[in-house]
Amino acid sequence: MLIRKASVAWLLVAGLTTFVQEALAQGSRIVVVEDGSYTYVERLQRRGLMLDLNPTDFPYRHVEIARSLGSVDPDDLSELERVWYDALAERFLSTDEGGSSSDVGGSFTGLVRASDSERLDGLRPLGDDPRVYQAGVIALYGEFGRWVAQLGLRHDWYYHKDPDALDTANRLFIRSEDAYAGYHGRIVSAFVGRYHQHWAPLADDALIISSNPRSFDAIDLRIGSPTISVRTVLGELDSITGDGRYTGAAGADSVVSGSERRLLVAHRFDWRPSRHFQLTALESTLFSGPGTSLSPRLLNPMHAWGFESDNRPKNDENNGLLGGLVWMNFGRLTVHGQILIDDVDLQGVSGEPWSYALSGSIVYGGVTPRADAGLRLTVVAARTYNADQIEGQYIYVNRGIATQWSDYVHGRLFADIYVDDLVRGLMVGPRLELLSQGEEDMRSAFPPDEVAGILVGTVERTYRGALALHYQPSRYWWVAADLGVNHVRNLDHIEGATDTRLSGVISVGARISFTQAIGAL
């Protein structure tokens, strides 16, 4: 009798183990960079939790977040941390949003953003007319073990009216986005599609690939373990016409002959000897030319482009960038830094000055029981991301592939104060910012060698005090705001001109899972 009971117990354990393994095999879908769930992941990571997730390589997959949550013991969490954990568990450890028990599903996200200017950027407002931009996103997916495919359509009025970018939405102001197919395993991952990537903590500026531009079509390959891995992104950008104009077309120019195709290849080599330390080598090269196309040379992640990009046979023009990243966590203190070097002349042949960019942050999670605080800094030199050939500019449909601007210094002091015990899901965040902006821009003509360094010409300086609000009482809807006062000196780079104005952006969003809605009927 005891043997029979033991056999039954063993079968139950084996069956449960099989179920869990199958459940974790699901969830290869991408959690898009704009997803509000990252807010809670970031807060827990600041406290030394969920660090098995790479804190500088986004986006994550559903299964990765689910596994990471499984490594956290809820009983060891503070009351505030438990609120954030429960919000994630409700989403990623349940089956009503297409988890382990469903392989087909979808969602709809609606978003309305109001700004007091044309831009959705309170630090750099443009114009005085208030604007309202609506957006709607539909995602339909199918998962088959570790394989996944998703159809994504985004209607976004800002894509049509963005004052800094080319119009990327045509029919019904809809763009295919977050659309992809691929395979995600523990050792190998391969995707082809269009979705945002961000190679830095989400709140920090990324110097190689960021979520700033519109998402572009790419092949995304990764191989390795949690300790050491290699990742390659090969993307197709918009072409430039034979007479030097960006039109947003991705292929040949039908108006002027001699158009140049533009491709981007970027690599990152991650070494994480522990969950609390990471060292990463970064590089990217933007290739351009009438005959530029997909090739094994571009897909090979083991080419060291700092040495290879100008070697023979050389059939393309290129703009190469080299960089590095370090990330460290000391319990509740997190330090991140990136450096990028452009136009490196190791042999002293060209005499061209180097260009550079720096980005980093110091964040203390739990400076009080209900608050985090930190400092972020970004420095981009005058010539960085620009090139002597126009098609080599580090932009996509006129938005920077890394940072949107060059020739500036931006410092931010911030605190995030959580009052979930008073109003569930509410964060209040005071901010102090200083922006010094020089006259150069990566979309302008490449400056002469005499123009080097940073903050060229008459420097426009913006001092901003702001309050950030984030209210998300449930996974179904949220409200966010960034409201502040900007004082600008040397406005529009005119010596002595000043301006003081209110500036801000308010957004309201809601999300519903089709799988969950159908299950409730």
Side-chain angles (χ1 to χ4, degrees), residues 124 207 321 339-343 353-359 378-387 403-410 436-443 446-447 451-456:
R124 298 176 182 265
L207 301 182
L321 308 175
I339 183 172
L340 177 143
I341 300 175
D342 190 5
D343 300 321
W354 290 19
S355 300
Y356 60 88
L358 305 169
S359 174
T378 304
V379 177
V380 183
R383 300 161 61 93
T384 308
Y385 301 126
N386 207 339
T403 64
Q404 178 64 14
W405 315 100
S406 55
D407 195 18
Y408 74 94
V409 177
H410 180 202
S436 297
Q437 177 65 61
E439 294 189 25
E440 290 298 323
D441 183 82
M442 70 181 78
R443 285 155 288 266
F446 195 53
V451 178
I454 193 170
L455 300 181
V456 173

Side-chain angles (χ1 to χ4, degrees), residues 23 31 56 120 160 178 187 191-192 204 261 266 351 379 408 433 441 485:
V31 183
T56 69
L120 293 174
H160 178 60
D178 300 321
I187 303 300
F191 280 75
V192 57
D204 288 13
R261 297 191 68 187
V379 177
Y408 74 94
E433 298 185 76
D441 183 82
V485 178

Side-chain angles (χ1 to χ4, degrees), residues 146-162:
R146 298 184 184 274
W147 297 88
V148 63
Q150 176 168 299
L151 167 69
L153 296 175
R154 183 184 183 103
H155 160 80
D156 197 324
W157 192 243
Y158 193 61
Y159 284 10
H160 178 60
K161 292 294 186 178
D162 185 349

Side-chain angles (χ1 to χ4, degrees), residues 372-446:
D372 301 340
L375 166 68
R376 295 191 175 95
L377 179 67
T378 304
V379 177
V380 183
R383 300 161 61 93
T384 308
Y385 301 126
N386 207 339
D388 52 4
Q389 70 275 16
I390 297 176
E391 62 272 21
Q393 294 170 338
Y394 208 65
I395 60 175
Y396 172 61
V397 293
N398 220 41
R399 292 189 68 87
I401 297 170
T403 64
Q404 178 64 14
W405 315 100
S406 55
D407 195 18
Y408 74 94
V409 177
H410 180 202
R412 293 147 284 181
L413 281 170
F414 73 93
D416 292 340
I417 304 170
Y418 314 111
V419 291
D420 296 79
D421 53 341
L422 301 177
V423 181
R424 179 181 172 86
L426 179 61
M427 186 280 291
V428 180
R431 272 89 169 112
L432 290 175
E433 298 185 76
L434 170 62
L435 171 66
S436 297
Q437 177 65 61
E439 294 189 25
E440 290 298 323
D441 183 82
M442 70 181 78
R443 285 155 288 266
S444 303
F446 195 53

Side-chain angles (χ1 to χ4, degrees), residues 127-365:
D128 299 316
D129 297 329
R131 300 294 176 93
V132 176
Y133 301 103
Q134 78 280 359
V137 182
I138 294 177
L140 302 173
Y141 66 85
E143 290 187 279
F144 315 96
R146 298 184 184 274
W147 297 88
V148 63
Q150 176 168 299
L151 167 69
L153 296 175
R154 183 184 183 103
H155 160 80
D156 197 324
W157 192 243
Y158 193 61
Y159 284 10
H160 178 60
K161 292 294 186 178
D162 185 349
D164 301 305
L166 300 177
D167 190 349
T168 53
N170 189 2
R171 295 178 181 175
L172 301 178
F173 306 106
I174 289 177
R175 185 176 195 252
S176 179
E177 201 161 77
D178 300 321
Y180 54 84
Y183 171 88
H184 178 70
R186 285 182 176 271
I187 303 300
V188 176
S189 176
F191 280 75
V192 57
R194 181 187 291 177
Y195 50 87
H196 277 123
Q197 302 197 49
H198 192 82
W199 288 2
L202 280 180
D204 288 13
D205 289 327
L207 301 182
I208 291 289
I209 293 181
S210 79
S211 58
N212 176 69
R214 303 289 175 254
S215 56
F216 50 85
D217 299 290
I219 297 172
D220 181 1
L221 305 174
R222 180 188 178 277
I223 183 170
S225 68
T227 302
I228 188 167
S229 62
V230 179
R231 185 163 192 168
T232 292
V233 172
L234 174 60
E236 182 177 19
L237 308 179
D238 51 334
S239 298
I240 190 170
T241 63
D243 57 352
R245 294 177 294 111
Y246 286 106
T247 64
D253 174 27
S254 61
V255 179
V256 180
S257 61
S259 64
E260 306 257 345
R261 297 191 68 187
R262 302 167 70 239
L263 298 177
L264 175 75
V265 60
H267 304 302
R268 61 178 294 157
F269 304 85
D270 286 318
W271 179 51
R272 301 194 72 198
S274 79
R275 294 185 177 186
H276 302 277
F277 178 80
Q278 175 182 326
L279 195 62
T280 301
L282 303 166
E283 61 180 5
S284 72
T285 302
L286 196 158
F287 290 88
S288 57
T292 299
S293 61
L294 175 67
S295 72
R297 179 170 178 257
L298 300 185
L299 279 175
N300 182 0
M302 304 314 294
H303 272 318
W305 287 111
F307 298 92
E308 171 63 20
S309 59
D310 282 327
N311 284 353
R312 295 182 176 87
K314 180 178 182 296
N315 302 315
D316 310 280
E317 292 298 329
N318 62 80
N319 181 17
L321 308 175
L322 298 175
L325 175 159
V326 62
W327 178 93
M328 296 177 288
N329 172 264
F330 307 94
R332 295 182 178 272
L333 178 67
T334 302
V335 179
H336 162 250
Q338 288 193 31
I339 183 172
L340 177 143
I341 300 175
D342 190 5
D343 300 321
V344 181
D345 183 15
L346 296 176
Q347 295 177 297
V349 176
S350 67
E352 184 177 339
W354 290 19
S355 300
Y356 60 88
L358 305 169
S359 174
S361 63
I362 301 174
V363 181
Y364 193 91

